[in-house]
Amino acid sequence: MKVMFALWDAGDLLADELTVRLSAAGTIAVQANISDATVANAMLRLTTFDDPINAVVSVWLPDQHETDTVADILASTAKRVAGWRVEEVSPIEPPSVPLRERAPGLANIAFLRRPDTLPQAEWLHRWRDQHTEVAIATQATFGYVQNLVLESVTDAAPDIAAIVEELFPIEALTDAHAFYGSNGDNAELTRRINRLMNSISTFGADRDIDVVPTSRYRLS
């Protein structure tokens, strides 16, 4: 079972003590995505909150009983924590990296919301069945993980429909051609941007969205 937590004003998530505490709480694996100095100059950063999310911690658990304990541990190192149980699908499996080593490139985490006017089944069809191919064809991603939110696991968690993680070359921090994979061709860049924007507008990801640029670490 995978549970994802958004953190605001998080402390040192790479500290050994935190990993030990999370392991003692029953986690099978832990991943931290941190909006750190390496990605500070990212050209794409969107927030709907007064204070932006600055980290995302994903944990894999044998069952849901340990969720509250994990949330309490994370709350001890962050000003605010919100969590969701998710269903994970990886259209592009991210590369394997040694534990505690920064994954290559830029990892963007996007928090999607479903428009009230769009039924769940239709929203899911447009996102997973129709948009996935477009996202892969129009961007230079080398890792792509879709997390469908099944339920919130913390009180007052924002109403989030899905959490997406996309891995890009590090040059994509500031270079649109590197982000979209258009190889310096401005006409191709425009074509790719237009195709992507048209696609995301069909399921509401052109508005009310948070995008957090991060460095990605597998901690355990």
Side-chain angles (χ1 to χ4, degrees):
M1 181 185 75
K2 183 179 181 180
V3 182
M4 302 184 73
F5 295 91
L7 280 65
W8 288 259
D9 292 335
D12 183 7
L13 298 178
L14 303 182
D16 290 339
E17 179 188 0
L18 180 63
T19 304
V20 169
R21 292 176 66 193
L22 290 172
S23 295
T27 60
I28 299 169
V30 179
Q31 175 182 317
N33 288 75
I34 306 169
S35 189
D36 58 11
T38 303
V39 299
N41 63 336
M43 63 181 181
L44 178 61
R45 185 189 301 265
L46 302 172
T47 184
T48 63
F49 301 104
D50 292 338
D51 296 315
I53 296 167
N54 79 319
V56 177
V57 174
S58 303
V59 300
W60 285 259
L61 297 163
D63 56 54
Q64 201 160 348
H65 293 103
E66 296 89 353
T67 302
D68 289 345
T69 302
V70 171
D72 289 343
I73 292 170
L74 294 176
S76 71
T77 190
K79 179 180 178 181
R80 177 186 176 190
V81 174
W84 304 266
R85 183 168 67 90
V86 301
E87 174 188 274
E88 179 186 58
V89 175
S90 297
I92 303 176
E93 190 69 33
S96 178
V97 175
L99 291 180
R100 309 189 70 79
E101 182 176 307
R102 186 188 185 279
L106 159 70
N108 274 352
I109 305 283
F111 292 79
L112 309 184
R113 296 166 175 85
R114 177 176 61 84
D116 293 337
T117 55
L118 200 57
Q120 173 71 12
E122 180 62 22
W123 174 85
L124 187 59
H125 170 65
R126 294 183 184 186
W127 172 46
R128 272 195 175 168
D129 299 337
Q130 297 182 335
H131 173 70
T132 298
E133 178 185 351
V134 176
I136 293 171
T138 58
Q139 300 176 107
T141 45
F142 61 89
Y144 184 19
V145 183
Q146 299 173 330
N147 300 281
L148 175 67
V149 170
L150 303 178
E151 63 177 345
S152 61
V153 298
T154 57
D155 294 336
D159 187 11
I160 300 296
I163 304 169
V164 176
E165 180 182 22
E166 293 177 305
L167 277 62
F168 296 86
I170 194 64
E171 293 80 8
L173 277 168
T174 57
D175 184 341
H177 286 294
F179 191 97
Y180 289 99
S182 46
N183 297 316
D185 184 329
N186 288 331
E188 176 63 12
L189 174 64
T190 299
R191 187 192 70 80
R192 290 186 177 217
I193 291 174
N194 288 341
R195 186 182 178 197
L196 182 68
M197 293 302 106
N198 288 337
S199 180
I200 65 173
S201 69
T202 64
F203 59 97
D206 59 336
R207 56 195 182 277
D208 297 330
I209 185 174
D210 292 80
V211 177
V212 187
T214 73
S215 294
R216 184 186 211 254
Y217 296 87
R218 293 301 293 255
L219 302 182
S220 67

